[in-house]
Amino acid sequence: MVSSGFITSNQFYGVENQKFIHDMNKAIYPDINLYHDDFFWAMNSFAVQRKFNPAIVNADTIYLQKKAAPFIARIIYLLSQVPKNDIMLVANIVLDHPYKGHKKRDINCFLEFLAKEKKWKDCADKWEFHKECYFYQGNSKVSKAEMCSYIFFKK
């Protein structure tokens, strides 16, 4: 995003919970704002300090649909408290993980799980989203995990 000119390096804020990956990325991209922390708690910390003004949030989870739903619901609820509109959330979810014996299920399972979450119910009226998702392979050429992205827009 920085190299394409979409944003400047000081506009990028990233969170990595694995210390080795955090340190490696920080060495490669010293000008970006990169934090070693839990994704949700890093955002929450900035929100509490009133230093949280996101335009695009990319929540790149490692969770299958059922576990992703409460995680994404918490993020959506937090973003709902930000006193601005025009926020886009990209929720990346593991759809199928063949090594764990999971078979691809109905892609709308995530939306069904999300609909049951109280945090989502408390703020769903502030959001629009596409029921379709974008499918892609995992993060490597040999990955057999299938991923999908749902996009949410704060009204």
Side-chain angles (χ1 to χ4, degrees), residues 11-141:
Q11 290 176 303
F12 181 89
Y13 284 78
V15 180
E16 175 56 56
N17 67 352
Q18 294 184 22
K19 182 75 169 137
F20 170 76
I21 295 172
H22 167 270
D23 293 347
M24 183 175 57
N25 285 334
K26 193 65 179 166
I28 296 169
Y29 305 104
D31 296 336
I32 66 170
N33 301 292
L34 187 61
Y35 299 90
H36 175 236
D37 202 347
D38 172 81
F39 185 74
F40 175 80
W41 289 112
M43 288 190 302
N44 190 60
S45 175
F46 274 88
V48 167
Q49 298 172 44
R50 304 219 186 276
K51 297 179 181 178
F52 191 52
N53 186 26
I56 301 171
V57 175
N58 183 46
D60 197 14
T61 78
I62 57 169
Y63 303 129
L64 289 161
Q65 297 176 76
K66 187 172 187 176
K67 191 169 181 181
F71 181 76
I72 296 300
R74 284 177 46 200
I75 292 169
I76 289 172
Y77 185 81
L78 175 65
L79 294 173
S80 295
Q81 309 310 308
V82 174
K84 70 176 256 188
N85 295 328
D86 301 328
I87 299 174
M88 180 175 80
L89 169 66
V90 179
N92 303 311
I93 298 160
V94 179
L95 184 60
D96 185 22
H97 196 301
Y99 298 120
K100 299 217 178 213
H102 293 94
K103 304 276 191 227
K104 190 185 321 184
R105 292 179 262 161
D106 178 7
I107 62 169
N108 292 325
C109 285
F110 170 73
L111 297 177
E112 292 169 13
F113 291 130
L114 183 64
K116 296 175 185 175
E117 293 296 322
K118 180 176 180 350
K119 290 207 180 290
W120 167 251
K121 290 177 189 178
D122 289 347
C123 62
D125 61 329
K126 295 180 180 180
W127 292 86
E128 294 176 356
F129 63 96
H130 299 283
K131 291 186 178 181
E132 302 83 28
C133 67
Y134 167 75
F135 294 97
Y136 62 98
Q137 283 300 120
N139 63 357
S140 72
K141 291 179 183 178

